Amino acid sequence: MQQPTSVNPATSATPPASRKIALVLGATGGIGNAMAQKLLQRGWEVRALHRRAAQTAAADSSGIDWRQGDAMQQADVAAAAEGAAIIVHAVNPPGYRNWGQLVLPMIDNSIAAARVSGARIILPGTVYNYGADAFPDLSESSPQNPVTRKGAIRVQMEQRLRSAAQAGVRSLVVRAGDFFGPHMANAWLSQGMLKPGQPVTAVTYPGKRGIGHQWAYLPDVAETMMQLVEREEALAAFDTFHMQGHWDADGTRMVGAIGRAAGRADLKVKSFPWWLLPALAPFVPVMREMREMAYLWRQPLRMNNRRLLKVLGSEPHTGWDQAMHSTLAGMGCIKE
């Protein structure tokens, strides 16, 4: 199924330029938190929806306006989005549980809220949308024929945004590689490769040497989203951009960056125990998700950022060593 990259922007209603209110759904997660911080730095008023808003606000001094509510409740999302210019949809079910039942209703609620407020929805995209027929080089128009349950749901999310754009609900999808960063808990680096809170003595690498893999540093992804938001006039009602991020051509650059940041020139590299996942998958949701994404480590796939460069001129990019030092410090694996 061929995926066009945009919908005519003439169908959308652009919000007043002076309105700098953003609603972030999933602000306690990796990309949601990174985006919230970027928005605050740019002088935006940032609201965040949380089921335990009072407790979260008491522990947070960033300036986020925490609103009591649930992303599964349309009225809660609509109330929090009142007057907002953008809705960052970075929310996922905790622990990957009940994806099929929760993910699509949540995007529907964001669409409904955006229809009333006039906000543009910002969605962090994934490579799960693609199957092997689109590999190894992915562009925004590559066919989306997913081979996994999770990928099929991600495709449906974007299809719903595309359909909503025909009725004036604007959205933006920024697709990047595997996330890493200082506040990313649900990621390969923190769940499968290293042990958070412990000194780095070894790294468990999921891929094979010689197989390329694409990574994305969270602050770079958030900065890219912000720069695109600030170029509203260049965006279609539904628009998609790919990031190049951090390309590891043979599986050694990520490991090398970890070793340098940890001060371990003798860093041991262990193979990921894929053989163990079938036994654990029925009982441990994260293992089931890892097993489903195994195909992404068996062959190289790379997104080009030509469309992004045409709009931004350059892609925000933090070097491997600086990005990894910040990441390991955030994970409690090294001291600042």
Side-chain angles (χ1 to χ4, degrees), residues 272-301:
F272 188 81
W274 290 107
W275 58 271
L276 187 59
L277 265 56
L280 296 177
F283 311 104
V284 185
V286 69
M287 296 298 177
R288 182 181 64 242
E289 299 299 325
M290 286 181 171
R291 184 188 183 194
E292 192 172 69
M293 296 300 119
Y295 76 103
L296 297 172
W297 292 96
R298 294 171 181 154
Q299 51 198 318
L301 62 145

Side-chain angles (χ1 to χ4, degrees), residues 238-320:
F238 172 85
D239 225 337
T240 304
F241 293 89
H242 286 185
M243 289 183 64
Q244 177 174 271
H246 289 69
W247 173 245
D248 187 345
D250 60 3
T252 63
R253 296 203 69 183
M254 172 60 82
V255 172
I258 294 171
R260 290 189 298 274
R264 296 296 301 261
D266 59 340
L267 186 64
K268 182 180 179 181
V269 181
K270 300 185 292 186
S271 297
F272 188 81
W274 290 107
W275 58 271
L276 187 59
L277 265 56
L280 296 177
F283 311 104
V284 185
V286 69
M287 296 298 177
R288 182 181 64 242
E289 299 299 325
M290 286 181 171
R291 184 188 183 194
E292 192 172 69
M293 296 300 119
Y295 76 103
L296 297 172
W297 292 96
R298 294 171 181 154
Q299 51 198 318
L301 62 145
R302 187 175 187 180
M303 289 174 283
N304 71 63
N305 63 348
R306 285 191 289 271
R307 283 202 76 232
L308 183 68
L309 295 180
K310 286 181 180 179
V311 175
L312 298 187
S314 62
E315 178 181 310
H317 184 82
T318 305
W320 275 106

Side-chain angles (χ1 to χ4, degrees), residues 156-179:
Q156 289 183 61
M157 289 176 69
E158 293 186 27
Q159 288 175 338
R160 293 188 184 195
L161 291 176
R162 184 186 300 278
S163 296
Q166 301 289 353
V169 177
R170 296 163 301 120
S171 56
L172 169 67
V173 179
V174 177
R175 202 180 318 281
D178 270 327
F179 290 159

